[in-house]
Amino acid sequence: MISHNIVPNISVDCVVFGFDFKKLNVLLVERELKDEESGKLLIKDHTLTGYHIFEDEDLDTAANNILKNLTGLDNIFLEQFAAFGQLDRVAGDKDKVWLKYINKGFAERIVTVGYLALIDNTKVTLHLKDKNVQWFPVNKINGMEMAFDHKHIFYKALEALQRKVKVEPIAFELLPDYFTLSQLQKLYEALLGTSFDKRNFRKKVSQMHYVIPLKKKQKGVPHKPAQLYLFSREVYDKTRKGKISFII
Amino acid sequence: MISHNIVPNISVDCVVFGFDFKKLNVLLVERELKDEESGKLLIKDHTLTGYHIFEDEDLDTAANNILKNLTGLDNIFLEQFAAFGQLDRVAGDKDKVWLKYINKGFAERIVTVGYLALIDNTKVTLHLKDKNVQWFPVNKINGMEMAFDHKHIFYKALEALQRKVKVEPIAFELLPDYFTLSQLQKLYEALLGTSFDKRNFRKKVSQMHYVIPLKKKQKGVPHKPAQLYLFSREVYDKTRKGKISFII
DNA sequence: GGTTAGTTGTGTACAATTTACACGAAGATA
DNA sequence: TATCTTCGTGTAAATTGTACACAACTAACC
């Protein structure tokens, strides 16, 4: 953790996505506030993982530090997707109460920079056990109570993710190093909310020379084990073509 | 102009693109600083069009106000593309001198939110005459002196523009209401730095039902006048398909 | 050891889209 | 009336996308 002064009116918020081989999830922090004297529960809802930046910290560094703190991991895929600066970001009375207790009454408009984080579930689940941080299925978010404008930020992140995933090979960040083609297909289906034909999907992937078949097979599954594959960013960078989809 | 207090550590910068039917241009402001006593020229370079936000102003509003102030126009296409918060954004001695004179010595790191603006040249050129604001060809920017990290911001904007233009019909914002297919083609060629086959380009456009042929023809050209077309966002919104380019 | 349950991995025919390519017609000018 | 410049058009071949079904493999169970 960094020890210098925070910048009171600027923060970063990370929208952390994960994939459990079935559905897409997002990491949220439970926000709970009890009155100091009466012990009465004043607030209970969820927030994205974010914090103010520090005076001597870049935006990217701030986002990285949040994730490191949260998951214990470094080198997580992290990409800015938007900044939010609406005057009414502090949404309701709930948030005002929160700021009064937690933020020393500071209620100026805070500009927050949103980061998209993609993590490999298999590497982090243990670290989360003892914190008030949990995975929530992306399609359950709509019905949840969320702090500030975090629901809005979340949906912007999801849109950005769906857009990027069609154009860049970032989805692999959500899978373990070795994965099967069925897992890859299910991931894309979860991300985009569609379904693909198995044979056509595989034909397509086999043309991507940066998705490399290994000589290994899946282990510990109660059925025919599938071949494992590896994504190579190096190969990708050397073979990208730069397709255009909207015009020509 | 707005009269309230500025937020000292947050600004917006607009990267304003225009098209003169031959090449893509960007709007830059000449920054010139003379020593008050000696009259000696301390700084001369260029900046993007930007300013601090005001306490009672949204980010989007701030960007809009800058453009209105600059061009006299409202309703300009404007879209956030990134936030910049590197600690070394104030690049060199030049910028420190500038901040000392202009910004009352305030030299804290400023986080700036970058906006992409696309404008129809034919509507604004007159408004710019008497200001130190000028169009510069995009491919000349590399050799220019620019303030702060504005060259970096400019290139990020250009990348974002090239990316978006392939996926959304925003290029039309750079053309007048009525345009010819040759102008549209030259625009895409200028934007993407490629060239297209005329017949194939037209075949493609003819499938876009939101590019609508008019019964009008070009006037005042020393050759066969071309048919004029119109872009209809309304038709676009009703006929979009949502193609995928990277996978399936 | 044989059966069951669940998942893997493969090919082909047809449709749609993309690409490459050249010339006569229209209008302005001298 | 000749010349200049840009406009506007079609077809054939190659590539890419789509729809569709079944046998083989492994683990687990009896």
Side-chain angles (χ1 to χ4, degrees), chain B residues 29-74:
Chain B
V29 184
E30 189 178 278
R31 178 173 78 153
E32 202 170 38
L33 182 68
K34 287 176 181 160
D35 187 73
E36 285 169 21
E37 293 181 10
S38 67
K40 192 182 135 201
L41 188 66
L42 295 174
I43 298 176
K44 181 167 171 165
D45 58 12
H46 292 85
T47 73
L48 298 171
T49 58
Y51 201 65
H52 291 279
I53 65 172
F54 290 86
E55 280 176 0
D56 60 352
E57 208 183 29
D58 286 344
L59 294 171
D60 290 357
T61 315
N64 253 306
N65 286 335
I66 286 171
L67 283 188
K68 180 151 193 186
N69 205 34
L70 190 74
T71 63
L73 292 178
D74 229 331

Short mmCIF file of all heavy atoms in Angstrom, two decimals, chain B residues 29-74:
data_model
loop_
_atom_site.label_atom_id
_atom_site.label_comp_id
_atom_site.label_asym_id
_atom_site.label_seq_id
_atom_site.Cartn_x
_atom_site.Cartn_y
_atom_site.Cartn_z
N VAL B 29 -4.14 24.80 -31.17
CA VAL B 29 -4.04 26.18 -30.71
C VAL B 29 -2.56 26.52 -30.56
O VAL B 29 -1.80 25.76 -29.98
CB VAL B 29 -4.70 26.35 -29.32
CG1 VAL B 29 -4.67 27.80 -28.88
CG2 VAL B 29 -6.11 25.81 -29.34
N GLU B 30 -2.21 27.68 -31.09
CA GLU B 30 -0.83 28.10 -30.91
C GLU B 30 -0.65 28.62 -29.49
O GLU B 30 -1.44 29.43 -29.00
CB GLU B 30 -0.50 29.22 -31.91
CG GLU B 30 0.96 29.56 -31.92
CD GLU B 30 1.25 30.62 -32.95
OE1 GLU B 30 1.39 30.25 -34.13
OE2 GLU B 30 1.31 31.80 -32.58
N ARG B 31 0.37 28.11 -28.82
CA ARG B 31 0.66 28.56 -27.47
C ARG B 31 1.90 29.44 -27.54
O ARG B 31 2.95 29.00 -28.02
CB ARG B 31 0.93 27.33 -26.60
CG ARG B 31 1.30 27.66 -25.16
CD ARG B 31 1.39 26.41 -24.31
NE ARG B 31 2.62 25.67 -24.50
CZ ARG B 31 3.16 24.88 -23.56
NH1 ARG B 31 2.56 24.70 -22.40
NH2 ARG B 31 4.27 24.21 -23.80
N GLU B 32 1.77 30.67 -27.11
CA GLU B 32 2.88 31.60 -27.22
C GLU B 32 2.98 32.36 -25.90
O GLU B 32 1.99 32.89 -25.41
CB GLU B 32 2.59 32.59 -28.36
CG GLU B 32 3.84 33.23 -28.91
CD GLU B 32 3.54 34.01 -30.19
OE1 GLU B 32 2.46 34.63 -30.26
OE2 GLU B 32 4.38 33.98 -31.11
N LEU B 33 4.15 32.40 -25.35
CA LEU B 33 4.32 33.09 -24.07
C LEU B 33 5.53 34.01 -24.15
O LEU B 33 6.63 33.57 -24.49
CB LEU B 33 4.51 32.06 -22.96
CG LEU B 33 4.65 32.64 -21.55
CD1 LEU B 33 3.35 33.27 -21.09
CD2 LEU B 33 5.09 31.55 -20.59
N LYS B 34 5.30 35.27 -23.86
CA LYS B 34 6.42 36.22 -23.83
C LYS B 34 6.65 36.69 -22.41
O LYS B 34 5.70 36.86 -21.64
CB LYS B 34 6.09 37.42 -24.72
CG LYS B 34 6.16 37.09 -26.20
CD LYS B 34 5.75 38.27 -27.07
CE LYS B 34 5.84 37.85 -28.53
NZ LYS B 34 5.04 38.71 -29.40
N ASP B 35 7.90 36.90 -22.09
CA ASP B 35 8.22 37.41 -20.77
C ASP B 35 7.61 38.80 -20.63
O ASP B 35 7.72 39.63 -21.53
CB ASP B 35 9.74 37.50 -20.58
CG ASP B 35 10.10 37.86 -19.16
OD1 ASP B 35 9.95 37.00 -18.27
OD2 ASP B 35 10.49 39.02 -18.93
N GLU B 36 6.98 39.04 -19.48
CA GLU B 36 6.23 40.29 -19.32
C GLU B 36 7.12 41.51 -19.45
O GLU B 36 6.72 42.53 -20.03
CB GLU B 36 5.51 40.29 -17.97
CG GLU B 36 4.28 39.38 -17.98
CD GLU B 36 3.72 39.16 -16.58
OE1 GLU B 36 4.00 39.99 -15.70
OE2 GLU B 36 3.00 38.17 -16.40
N GLU B 37 8.31 41.46 -18.91
CA GLU B 37 9.18 42.64 -18.94
C GLU B 37 10.00 42.74 -20.21
O GLU B 37 9.87 43.68 -20.99
CB GLU B 37 10.10 42.63 -17.72
CG GLU B 37 9.30 42.80 -16.43
CD GLU B 37 10.21 42.81 -15.20
OE1 GLU B 37 11.44 42.86 -15.36
OE2 GLU B 37 9.66 42.74 -14.08
N SER B 38 10.80 41.71 -20.46
CA SER B 38 11.72 41.79 -21.60
C SER B 38 11.02 41.60 -22.94
O SER B 38 11.53 41.99 -23.97
CB SER B 38 12.82 40.74 -21.46
OG SER B 38 12.24 39.44 -21.60
N GLY B 39 9.84 41.01 -22.93
CA GLY B 39 9.15 40.75 -24.19
C GLY B 39 9.74 39.57 -24.95
O GLY B 39 9.34 39.26 -26.06
N LYS B 40 10.67 38.92 -24.34
CA LYS B 40 11.35 37.79 -24.99
C LYS B 40 10.39 36.59 -25.13
O LYS B 40 9.62 36.31 -24.22
CB LYS B 40 12.55 37.40 -24.13
CG LYS B 40 13.52 36.44 -24.79
CD LYS B 40 14.67 36.08 -23.82
CE LYS B 40 14.96 34.59 -23.84
NZ LYS B 40 15.66 34.14 -22.63
N LEU B 41 10.46 35.95 -26.28
CA LEU B 41 9.59 34.79 -26.52
C LEU B 41 10.09 33.59 -25.72
O LEU B 41 11.19 33.11 -25.93
CB LEU B 41 9.58 34.45 -28.01
CG LEU B 41 8.57 33.39 -28.45
CD1 LEU B 41 7.14 33.87 -28.27
CD2 LEU B 41 8.81 33.02 -29.90
N LEU B 42 9.26 33.15 -24.79
CA LEU B 42 9.69 32.03 -23.94
C LEU B 42 9.24 30.70 -24.53
O LEU B 42 9.96 29.71 -24.49
CB LEU B 42 9.09 32.19 -22.54
CG LEU B 42 9.57 33.40 -21.74
CD1 LEU B 42 8.79 33.52 -20.44
CD2 LEU B 42 11.06 33.27 -21.43
N ILE B 43 8.04 30.66 -25.06
CA ILE B 43 7.47 29.42 -25.58
C ILE B 43 6.71 29.69 -26.85
O ILE B 43 6.00 30.68 -26.97
CB ILE B 43 6.45 28.83 -24.58
CG1 ILE B 43 7.12 28.47 -23.25
CG2 ILE B 43 5.78 27.60 -25.17
CD1 ILE B 43 6.14 27.98 -22.21
N LYS B 44 6.85 28.82 -27.81
CA LYS B 44 5.96 28.82 -28.96
C LYS B 44 5.78 27.38 -29.44
O LYS B 44 6.72 26.78 -29.94
CB LYS B 44 6.50 29.70 -30.08
CG LYS B 44 5.56 29.71 -31.27
CD LYS B 44 5.88 30.81 -32.26
CE LYS B 44 5.03 30.58 -33.49
NZ LYS B 44 5.01 31.77 -34.35
N ASP B 45 4.62 26.86 -29.23
CA ASP B 45 4.31 25.52 -29.72
C ASP B 45 2.80 25.37 -29.83
O ASP B 45 2.10 26.39 -29.87
CB ASP B 45 4.95 24.44 -28.84
CG ASP B 45 4.51 24.52 -27.38
OD1 ASP B 45 3.55 25.26 -27.10
OD2 ASP B 45 5.13 23.84 -26.54
N HIS B 46 2.31 24.16 -29.90
CA HIS B 46 0.86 23.97 -30.07
C HIS B 46 0.27 23.05 -29.02
O HIS B 46 0.93 22.16 -28.52
CB HIS B 46 0.57 23.42 -31.47
CG HIS B 46 0.85 24.40 -32.55
ND1 HIS B 46 2.11 24.56 -33.09
CD2 HIS B 46 0.04 25.30 -33.16
CE1 HIS B 46 2.06 25.52 -34.00
NE2 HIS B 46 0.81 25.99 -34.07
N THR B 47 -0.99 23.31 -28.73
CA THR B 47 -1.70 22.47 -27.78
C THR B 47 -3.02 22.02 -28.40
O THR B 47 -3.50 22.62 -29.35
CB THR B 47 -2.07 23.24 -26.49
OG1 THR B 47 -3.12 24.16 -26.78
CG2 THR B 47 -0.88 23.99 -25.93
N LEU B 48 -3.59 20.99 -27.81
CA LEU B 48 -4.96 20.63 -28.13
C LEU B 48 -5.87 21.67 -27.51
O LEU B 48 -5.44 22.48 -26.69
CB LEU B 48 -5.28 19.24 -27.55
CG LEU B 48 -4.45 18.09 -28.10
CD1 LEU B 48 -4.71 16.83 -27.30
CD2 LEU B 48 -4.78 17.86 -29.57
N THR B 49 -7.12 21.62 -27.89
CA THR B 49 -8.08 22.56 -27.32
C THR B 49 -8.64 21.95 -26.05
O THR B 49 -9.38 20.97 -26.09
CB THR B 49 -9.22 22.79 -28.31
OG1 THR B 49 -9.83 21.55 -28.60
CG2 THR B 49 -8.68 23.37 -29.62
N GLY B 50 -8.28 22.54 -24.93
CA GLY B 50 -8.75 21.97 -23.67
C GLY B 50 -8.79 23.00 -22.57
O GLY B 50 -8.28 24.12 -22.72
N TYR B 51 -9.37 22.61 -21.48
CA TYR B 51 -9.42 23.51 -20.33
C TYR B 51 -9.80 22.71 -19.08
O TYR B 51 -10.31 21.60 -19.19
CB TYR B 51 -10.42 24.65 -20.56
CG TYR B 51 -10.14 25.84 -19.68
CD1 TYR B 51 -8.96 26.55 -19.82
CD2 TYR B 51 -11.04 26.23 -18.69
CE1 TYR B 51 -8.68 27.63 -19.01
CE2 TYR B 51 -10.77 27.31 -17.87
CZ TYR B 51 -9.58 28.00 -18.03
OH TYR B 51 -9.30 29.06 -17.21
N HIS B 52 -9.54 23.32 -17.94
CA HIS B 52 -10.01 22.73 -16.70
C HIS B 52 -11.54 22.61 -16.72
O HIS B 52 -12.21 23.39 -17.38
CB HIS B 52 -9.62 23.62 -15.51
CG HIS B 52 -8.16 23.63 -15.25
ND1 HIS B 52 -7.52 22.63 -14.55
CD2 HIS B 52 -7.19 24.49 -15.62
CE1 HIS B 52 -6.24 22.90 -14.49
NE2 HIS B 52 -6.00 24.02 -15.13
N ILE B 53 -12.05 21.65 -15.98
CA ILE B 53 -13.49 21.61 -15.82
C ILE B 53 -13.87 22.54 -14.66
O ILE B 53 -13.03 22.90 -13.85
CB ILE B 53 -14.02 20.19 -15.57
CG1 ILE B 53 -13.52 19.63 -14.24
CG2 ILE B 53 -13.61 19.27 -16.70
CD1 ILE B 53 -14.19 18.31 -13.87
N PHE B 54 -15.13 22.89 -14.64
CA PHE B 54 -15.63 23.71 -13.54
C PHE B 54 -16.33 22.82 -12.52
O PHE B 54 -16.78 21.72 -12.85
CB PHE B 54 -16.61 24.76 -14.08
CG PHE B 54 -15.91 25.82 -14.88
CD1 PHE B 54 -15.67 25.63 -16.25
CD2 PHE B 54 -15.47 26.98 -14.29
CE1 PHE B 54 -15.00 26.58 -16.98
CE2 PHE B 54 -14.80 27.94 -15.02
CZ PHE B 54 -14.56 27.75 -16.38
N GLU B 55 -16.41 23.34 -11.33
CA GLU B 55 -16.98 22.53 -10.24
C GLU B 55 -18.40 22.06 -10.53
O GLU B 55 -18.81 21.02 -10.08
CB GLU B 55 -16.94 23.32 -8.93
CG GLU B 55 -15.58 23.31 -8.28
CD GLU B 55 -15.53 24.19 -7.04
OE1 GLU B 55 -16.56 24.81 -6.70
OE2 GLU B 55 -14.45 24.28 -6.43
N ASP B 56 -19.14 22.88 -11.27
CA ASP B 56 -20.55 22.54 -11.50
C ASP B 56 -20.79 22.04 -12.93
O ASP B 56 -21.86 22.22 -13.48
CB ASP B 56 -21.43 23.75 -11.21
CG ASP B 56 -21.07 24.93 -12.11
OD1 ASP B 56 -20.05 24.84 -12.84
OD2 ASP B 56 -21.80 25.93 -12.09
N GLU B 57 -19.77 21.43 -13.50
CA GLU B 57 -19.84 21.06 -14.90
C GLU B 57 -19.52 19.58 -15.07
O GLU B 57 -18.51 19.10 -14.55
CB GLU B 57 -18.77 21.88 -15.63
CG GLU B 57 -19.02 22.20 -17.05
CD GLU B 57 -17.82 22.96 -17.62
OE1 GLU B 57 -16.67 22.76 -17.15
OE2 GLU B 57 -18.02 23.74 -18.54
N ASP B 58 -20.35 18.86 -15.81
CA ASP B 58 -20.01 17.48 -16.18
C ASP B 58 -18.83 17.47 -17.13
O ASP B 58 -18.55 18.47 -17.78
CB ASP B 58 -21.19 16.85 -16.94
CG ASP B 58 -22.34 16.51 -16.02
OD1 ASP B 58 -22.12 16.47 -14.80
OD2 ASP B 58 -23.45 16.30 -16.53
N LEU B 59 -18.22 16.30 -17.28
CA LEU B 59 -17.12 16.18 -18.24
C LEU B 59 -17.62 16.46 -19.66
O LEU B 59 -17.00 17.23 -20.41
CB LEU B 59 -16.51 14.78 -18.18
CG LEU B 59 -15.79 14.41 -16.88
CD1 LEU B 59 -15.44 12.93 -16.88
CD2 LEU B 59 -14.52 15.24 -16.73
N ASP B 60 -18.72 15.84 -20.02
CA ASP B 60 -19.26 16.03 -21.37
C ASP B 60 -19.61 17.49 -21.63
O ASP B 60 -19.35 18.03 -22.71
CB ASP B 60 -20.52 15.19 -21.58
CG ASP B 60 -20.21 13.70 -21.63
OD1 ASP B 60 -19.02 13.32 -21.57
OD2 ASP B 60 -21.17 12.91 -21.76
N THR B 61 -20.20 18.10 -20.63
CA THR B 61 -20.56 19.52 -20.78
C THR B 61 -19.32 20.38 -20.96
O THR B 61 -19.30 21.30 -21.78
CB THR B 61 -21.31 19.99 -19.52
OG1 THR B 61 -22.28 19.02 -19.17
CG2 THR B 61 -21.97 21.33 -19.74
N ALA B 62 -18.30 20.06 -20.20
CA ALA B 62 -17.06 20.84 -20.31
C ALA B 62 -16.51 20.75 -21.72
O ALA B 62 -16.13 21.77 -22.32
CB ALA B 62 -16.03 20.31 -19.31
N ALA B 63 -16.49 19.54 -22.28
CA ALA B 63 -15.97 19.38 -23.64
C ALA B 63 -16.84 20.14 -24.63
O ALA B 63 -16.34 20.84 -25.52
CB ALA B 63 -15.92 17.90 -23.99
N ASN B 64 -18.13 20.04 -24.46
CA ASN B 64 -19.05 20.77 -25.33
C ASN B 64 -18.83 22.26 -25.26
O ASN B 64 -18.85 22.95 -26.29
CB ASN B 64 -20.49 20.48 -24.90
CG ASN B 64 -21.17 19.56 -25.88
OD1 ASN B 64 -21.20 19.86 -27.07
ND2 ASN B 64 -21.67 18.45 -25.40
N ASN B 65 -18.64 22.77 -24.07
CA ASN B 65 -18.44 24.21 -23.92
C ASN B 65 -17.17 24.67 -24.61
O ASN B 65 -17.14 25.73 -25.23
CB ASN B 65 -18.41 24.58 -22.44
CG ASN B 65 -19.79 24.52 -21.83
OD1 ASN B 65 -20.80 24.65 -22.54
ND2 ASN B 65 -19.86 24.33 -20.53
N ILE B 66 -16.12 23.86 -24.50
CA ILE B 66 -14.88 24.22 -25.18
C ILE B 66 -15.11 24.34 -26.68
O ILE B 66 -14.69 25.31 -27.32
CB ILE B 66 -13.79 23.16 -24.90
CG1 ILE B 66 -13.29 23.32 -23.47
CG2 ILE B 66 -12.64 23.29 -25.88
CD1 ILE B 66 -12.39 22.21 -23.01
N LEU B 67 -15.83 23.38 -27.22
CA LEU B 67 -16.04 23.40 -28.67
C LEU B 67 -16.96 24.53 -29.09
O LEU B 67 -16.75 25.15 -30.13
CB LEU B 67 -16.63 22.07 -29.13
CG LEU B 67 -15.62 20.95 -29.22
CD1 LEU B 67 -16.25 19.75 -29.86
CD2 LEU B 67 -14.40 21.37 -30.01
N LYS B 68 -17.94 24.80 -28.28
CA LYS B 68 -18.86 25.88 -28.63
C LYS B 68 -18.10 27.20 -28.64
O LYS B 68 -18.23 28.03 -29.55
CB LYS B 68 -19.99 25.94 -27.62
CG LYS B 68 -20.97 27.05 -27.93
CD LYS B 68 -22.35 26.71 -27.46
CE LYS B 68 -23.32 27.70 -28.09
NZ LYS B 68 -24.67 27.52 -27.57
N ASN B 69 -17.30 27.36 -27.63
CA ASN B 69 -16.48 28.56 -27.51
C ASN B 69 -15.55 28.72 -28.71
O ASN B 69 -15.29 29.82 -29.19
CB ASN B 69 -15.65 28.41 -26.24
CG ASN B 69 -15.24 29.74 -25.67
OD1 ASN B 69 -15.99 30.70 -25.78
ND2 ASN B 69 -14.06 29.80 -25.11
N LEU B 70 -15.05 27.61 -29.18
CA LEU B 70 -14.03 27.61 -30.23
C LEU B 70 -14.63 27.79 -31.61
O LEU B 70 -14.09 28.52 -32.44
CB LEU B 70 -13.32 26.25 -30.15
CG LEU B 70 -12.07 26.04 -30.97
CD1 LEU B 70 -10.93 26.80 -30.35
CD2 LEU B 70 -11.75 24.56 -31.04
N THR B 71 -15.71 27.10 -31.87
CA THR B 71 -16.24 27.06 -33.24
C THR B 71 -17.57 27.79 -33.38
O THR B 71 -18.03 28.02 -34.50
CB THR B 71 -16.51 25.61 -33.66
OG1 THR B 71 -17.52 25.06 -32.81
CG2 THR B 71 -15.26 24.76 -33.54
N GLY B 72 -18.18 28.13 -32.28
CA GLY B 72 -19.51 28.73 -32.35
C GLY B 72 -20.60 27.69 -32.57
O GLY B 72 -21.77 28.02 -32.64
N LEU B 73 -20.20 26.42 -32.70
CA LEU B 73 -21.19 25.40 -33.00
C LEU B 73 -21.57 24.58 -31.77
O LEU B 73 -20.75 24.32 -30.90
CB LEU B 73 -20.66 24.43 -34.05
CG LEU B 73 -20.45 24.96 -35.45
CD1 LEU B 73 -19.87 23.87 -36.33
CD2 LEU B 73 -21.76 25.48 -36.02
N ASP B 74 -22.80 24.16 -31.77
CA ASP B 74 -23.29 23.23 -30.77
C ASP B 74 -23.54 21.91 -31.49
O ASP B 74 -23.44 21.84 -32.71
CB ASP B 74 -24.60 23.77 -30.20
CG ASP B 74 -24.58 23.74 -28.69
OD1 ASP B 74 -23.88 22.87 -28.14
OD2 ASP B 74 -25.23 24.59 -28.08
#
